[in-house]
C-alpha cells in the first residue's frame, strides 16, 4: 500500500468515527427532546423519570413504610409527586459507606394558574396566573400556550392524583401593537399582575356556543372548586380526564408552550427547547444511573439521583432541597451499622449539584468574565463562586477533574464577573445542611429562564458521560485522596 492509500484510509476512518460520534450525540439529544416534550410540569417530570426507572428494574418505596435495604437493591421514592429520589445500592455497600449523589431540580420558571383563575376583561374570558420563579416574562407573549399539571379527583369516596396535559394551544398572552406603544422596542416591561394574563376565549363565542357567562360570584364557602375557573378550561380538563366538574377537588397547572422542542441550527447542533434548566440534568442524571447498572456489583457506595421541586423559588418547601428529605433518606440508608454510620458516611460522600450554566453570549460577551467564557460543545461547566453562591471547592473540583479525565469528558470553568449578580443552586443549600463535599456544575446554555431556551446537542451525551464516570469512578478516586 502506498502512502496515499494509507492516508486515504486514515481519513476515512476518522470521518466514519466522527460520523458515529455525531450520530450518538444526535441520538441522545433526540431522546432528551422527547422527554422534555412530555414534561410541562414537575409532576410530569417525576412521572417520566419514574417510568424510566421502572423499566430499568427500580421499585417504588414509600416514606411511610419501614425499609430493609440490601446490596444491589434499586429503589425510588417521591414526595409531593414533584420530587423524586432514586438509588442503586452497590454490591459492596455496608452502612457507613459513602453516597455518590447527582442532584438537580424538576421545576422551571412558568406561569401557574391561580386558585381562583376565572377573569373576565373587555369581552374576553381569561385565566389568572401567578408568575412562578424568575422567568423572562416577555418571552411568554405571543406564544401558543397550553396547561399541564396535576388534578386531584374524587372518585367513589377515594381521592386520586391524575396528570393532565392539554395537547393543543388554548391560551395566549397577546402583545400590545407597536402602534399603541411606540417605545415597545425600547422598554417593554409588562406588569406581572395585569398584563401577563392569558386569553382563553371570547365571551361572544362562549355565548354563541351556549356557555353561560355568569359573572355573579357565589358567596364565599358556597362555590365549588370548578366554579373558581373558566368553565371552558374546566371542561377541557374534565374531558381529558373523563371526570365530571364536581369530581375536581383541586389542581396545580403550569402554563406551557405547545411548540415542541427541536434540533436546530444549520448543522443540527442546537437544542431549542423549554425547561433545559433543569430537565437536561434531571434526564441525564437518571440515564447515567440506569446505564451504569453493570458496574453496580463492585461499588462500595450507594448511587443516588435527587431531583427536587421548588429550586426556582429558593427550595424552601417540604419537597425542596432545603427540606429534611435528603437527610432522612441518607439516615435510613445508613441504618443497620454502627450508631454513627450516617456521620461516618458523610465525609466519604460527594454530591454533584447539576444545574444549567451560562454559555458566553455572542451579543453580550461583555457580560461574561474574560477568562471564563464557557462555550457550547466545549464540555460541562464547573461553577466557582468564593462567596459561596456555588458550593465548589478545590477538593471537589480536583476529584471531578480526575473522574472526567479517566472518563474522557471535557470540562470548562466558570466564574461570574465581580460586577455582575450571580445565580445560585441547590448545591450551597444541601452542602450546608448535610456537610457533603459538593460541586456545582452544569451544561452551557443561552436564553436561561426564557420560555424557549437553547443549548448544544453535545450537552446531553457529555452530561451522561460525566455522571456515569462519577458513579463508576468516584469511590476509587476518593480512596486516592491522602489527606
Ligand atoms: Zn436551574
Amino acid at each position: 500500500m502506498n502512502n496515499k492509500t494509507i492516508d486515504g484510509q486514515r481519513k476515512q476512518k476518522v470521518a466514519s468515527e466522527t460520523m458515529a460520534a455525531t450520530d450518538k450525540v444526535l441520538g441522545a439529544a433526540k431522546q432528551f427532546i422527547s422527554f422534555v416534550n412530555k414534561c410541562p410540569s414537575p409532576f410530569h417530570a417525576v412521572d417520566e423519570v419514574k417510568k424510566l426507572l421502572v423499566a430499568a428494574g427500580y421499585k417504588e418505596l414509600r416514606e411511610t413504610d419501614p425499609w430493609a435495604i440490601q446490596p444491589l437493591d434499586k429503589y425510588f421514592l417521591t414526595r409531593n409527586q414533584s420530587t423524586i429520589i432514586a438509588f442503586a445500592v452497590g454490591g459492596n455497600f455496608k452502612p457507613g459507606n459513602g453516597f455518590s449523589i447527582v442532584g438537580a431540580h424538576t421545576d422551571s420558571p412558568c406561569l401557574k394558574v391561580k386558585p381562583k383563575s376565572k377573569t373576565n376583561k373587555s369581552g374576553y374570558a381569561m385565566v389568572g396566573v401567578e408568575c412562578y420563579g424568575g422567568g423572562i416574562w416577555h418571552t411568554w407573549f405571543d406564544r401558543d400556550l397550553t396547561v399541564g399539571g396535576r388534578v386531584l379527583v374524587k372518585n367513589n369516596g377515594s381521592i386520586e392524583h391524575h396528570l393532565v396535559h392539554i395537547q393543543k394551544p388554548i391560551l395566549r398572552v397577546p402583545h400590545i401593537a407597536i402602534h399603541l406603544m411606540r417605545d415597545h422596542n425600547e422598554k417593554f416591561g409588562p406588569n406581572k399582575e395585569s398584563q401577563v394574563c392569558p386569553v382563553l376565549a371570547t365571551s361572544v363565542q362562549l355565548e354563541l356556543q351556549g356557555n353561560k357567562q355568569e359573572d355573579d360570584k357565589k358567596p364565599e364557602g358556597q362555590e365549588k372548586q370548578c366554579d373558581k375557573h373558566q368553565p371552558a378550561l374546566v371542561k377541557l380538563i374534565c374531558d381529558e380526564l373523563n371526570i365530571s366538574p364536581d369530581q375536581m377537588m383541586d389542581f396545580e397547572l403550569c402554563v406551557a408552550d405547545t411548540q415542541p422542542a427541536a434540533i436546530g441550527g444549520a448543522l443540527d447542533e442546537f437544542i431549542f427547547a423549554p425547561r433545559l434548566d433543569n430537565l437536561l440534568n434531571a434526564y441525564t442524571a437518571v440515564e447515567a444511573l440506569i446505564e451504569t447498572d453493570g458496574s453496580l456489583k463492585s461499588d462500595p457506595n450507594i448511587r443516588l439521583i435527587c431531583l427536587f421541586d421548588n429550586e426556582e423559588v429558593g427550595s424552601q418547601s417540604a419537597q425542596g432541597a432545603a427540606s429534611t428529605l435528603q437527610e432522612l433518606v441518607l439516615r435510613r440508608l445508613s441504618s443497620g451499622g454502627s450508631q454513627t454510620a450516617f456521620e461516618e458516611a458523610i465525609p466519604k460522600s460527594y454530591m454533584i449539584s447539576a444545574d444549567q450554566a451560562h454559555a458566553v453570549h455572542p451579543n453580550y460577551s461583555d457580560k461574561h468574565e474574560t477568562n471564563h467564557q464557557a462555550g457550547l460543545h466545549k464540555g460541562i461547566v464547573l461553577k466557582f463562586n468564593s462567596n459561596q453562591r456555588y458550593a465548589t471547592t478545590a477538593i471537589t473540583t480536583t476529584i471531578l477533574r480526575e473522574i472526567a479525565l479517566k472518563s474522557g469528558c471535557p470540562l470548562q470553568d466558570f466564574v461570574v464577573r465581580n460586577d455582575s449578580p450571580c445565580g445560585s443552586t441547590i448545591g450551597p443549600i444541601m452542602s450546608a445542611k448535610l456537610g457533603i463535599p459538593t460541586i456545582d456544575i452544569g451544561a452551557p446554555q443561552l436564553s436561561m429562564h426564557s420560555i424557549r431556551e437553547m443549548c448544544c446537542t453535545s450537552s446531553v451525551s457529555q452530561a451522561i458521560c460525566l455522571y456515569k464516570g462519577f458513579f463508576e469512578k468516584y469511590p476509587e478516586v476518593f480512596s486516592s485522596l491522602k489527606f
Side-chain angles (χ1 to χ4, degrees):
M1 244 185 285
N2 64 28
N3 278 352
K4 230 177 174 176
T5 323
I6 293 172
D7 214 38
Q9 282 180 348
R10 210 175 276 148
K11 266 189 192 151
Q12 240 175 19
K13 189 167 172 272
V14 171
S16 72
E17 276 172 7
T18 315
M19 282 291 270
T22 313
D23 282 354
K24 206 175 141 221
V25 164
L26 207 54
K30 282 181 179 164
Q31 284 190 349
F32 165 66
I33 279 178
S34 115
F35 174 86
V36 91
N37 284 337
K38 287 183 259 179
C39 301
S41 76
F43 313 110
H44 286 84
V46 164
D47 194 56
E48 289 303 318
V49 166
K50 232 186 208 186
K51 285 181 195 160
L52 293 170
L53 290 167
V54 168
Y58 283 70
K59 295 199 186 78
E60 182 154 14
L61 267 183
R62 291 186 176 278
E63 281 189 82
T64 45
D65 292 338
W67 299 356
I69 304 300
Q70 301 294 327
L72 300 178
D73 278 349
K74 296 189 289 183
Y75 286 112
F76 65 88
L77 64 140
T78 64
R79 198 182 258 192
N80 188 45
Q81 310 292 328
S82 62
T83 285
I84 186 163
I85 294 182
F87 58 86
V89 186
N92 290 333
F93 176 80
K94 54 180 187 352
N97 286 11
F99 303 108
S100 311
I101 307 169
V102 179
H105 63 92
T106 57
D107 61 323
S108 304
C110 68
L111 302 175
K112 285 196 178 185
V113 176
K114 283 182 176 174
K116 292 184 183 184
S117 72
K118 197 198 295 184
T119 308
N120 293 313
K121 292 199 272 189
S122 314
Y124 292 95
M126 311 185 66
V127 177
V129 289
E130 277 188 285
C131 297
Y132 175 85
I136 307 179
W137 301 118
H138 71 80
T139 63
W140 289 72
F141 282 67
D142 289 354
R143 307 292 304 186
D144 304 346
L145 305 171
T146 186
V147 290
R150 66 167 166 194
V151 185
L152 289 152
V153 174
K154 198 167 209 170
N155 197 2
N156 291 327
S158 50
I159 296 171
E160 298 166 354
H161 187 276
H162 291 281
L163 298 186
V164 67
H165 184 189
I166 309 288
Q167 301 277 354
K168 62 173 187 175
I170 57 168
L171 293 168
R172 173 101 173 185
V173 188
H175 258 303
I176 176 80
I178 195 151
H179 316 74
L180 305 178
M181 192 193 269
R182 285 290 180 200
D183 56 0
H184 209 301
N185 287 321
E186 286 71 45
K187 46 179 178 192
F188 179 63
N191 179 286
K192 288 192 277 181
E193 179 56 35
S194 57
Q195 291 166 339
V196 188
C197 192
V199 170
L200 178 74
T202 58
S203 329
V204 70
Q205 191 64 22
L206 284 168
E207 273 163 34
L208 268 177
Q209 295 194 7
N211 294 279
K212 271 194 285 161
Q213 280 293 287
E214 328 149 9
D215 252 348
D216 43 293
K217 293 201 172 106
K218 293 198 174 128
E220 196 77 40
Q222 278 184 31
E223 59 185 351
K224 290 182 277 184
Q225 280 307 114
C226 57
D227 297 332
K228 299 174 182 175
H229 307 282
Q230 294 290 358
L233 178 64
V234 171
K235 185 175 182 327
L236 282 167
I237 292 164
C238 290
D239 286 355
E240 180 96 355
L241 295 177
N242 214 2
I243 58 168
S244 71
D246 287 345
Q247 287 178 272
M248 201 179 81
M249 308 273 294
D250 209 345
F251 60 51
E252 284 175 56
L253 298 177
C254 299
V255 177
D257 199 350
T258 53
Q259 187 183 358
I263 303 285
L267 308 175
D268 292 336
E269 60 176 312
F270 302 129
I271 298 175
F272 302 146
R275 302 175 292 277
L276 289 174
D277 171 16
N278 193 18
L279 292 185
L280 189 136
N281 289 297
Y283 172 78
T284 50
V286 68
E287 280 297 313
L289 183 69
I290 291 169
E291 287 179 25
T292 46
D293 206 40
S295 59
L296 193 60
K297 225 172 157 200
S298 57
D299 197 332
N301 280 10
I302 296 185
R303 302 170 181 176
L304 294 102
I305 57 163
C306 306
L307 313 177
F308 290 101
D309 193 4
N310 297 136
E311 190 275 344
E312 296 293 356
V313 292
S315 299
Q316 295 280 350
S317 68
Q319 57 281 352
S323 72
T324 52
L325 179 61
Q326 179 83 11
E327 181 181 342
L328 296 183
V329 168
L330 298 185
R331 279 192 185 280
R332 291 175 85 163
L333 296 181
S334 300
S335 68
S338 81
Q339 273 201 335
T340 54
F342 171 72
E343 288 80 359
E344 292 163 38
I346 292 300
K348 297 177 199 161
S349 303
Y350 186 103
M351 185 168 108
I352 292 181
S353 158
D355 204 344
Q356 288 297 85
H358 302 295
V360 63
H361 194 300
N363 297 336
Y364 297 90
S365 58
D366 57 331
K367 293 273 179 201
H368 300 261
E369 207 275 350
T370 323
N371 283 335
H372 299 84
Q373 305 206 338
L376 298 182
H377 297 299
K378 292 184 179 170
I380 300 298
V381 179
L382 310 186
K383 305 179 197 172
F384 298 81
N385 185 266
S386 61
N387 294 303
Q388 301 303 309
R389 302 286 288 165
Y390 301 130
T392 311
T393 68
I395 297 175
T396 56
T397 314
T398 301
I399 292 172
L400 201 66
R401 281 197 207 286
E402 186 68 4
I403 289 166
L405 196 68
K406 287 174 188 276
S407 316
C409 311
L411 295 175
Q412 321 183 59
D413 298 329
F414 173 80
V415 72
V416 81
R417 286 173 60 102
N418 287 324
D419 55 3
S420 162
C422 183
S424 192
T425 70
I426 62 168
I429 295 170
M430 295 191 65
S431 60
K433 208 174 170 61
L434 295 165
I436 292 180
T438 300
I439 190 163
D440 269 294
I441 67 164
Q445 72 161 85
L446 297 169
S447 317
M448 192 179 285
H449 289 194
S450 162
I451 193 169
R452 203 161 168 86
E453 303 177 321
M454 169 177 177
C455 72
C456 59
T457 48
S458 322
S459 282
V460 180
S461 30
Q462 283 173 350
I464 294 174
C465 165
L466 185 63
Y467 306 152
K468 277 168 75 172
F470 166 64
F471 285 135
E472 298 192 322
K473 298 184 171 70
Y474 168 66
E476 174 199 328
V477 173
F478 175 74
S479 67
S480 74
L481 299 182
K482 296 295 169 232
F483 51 89

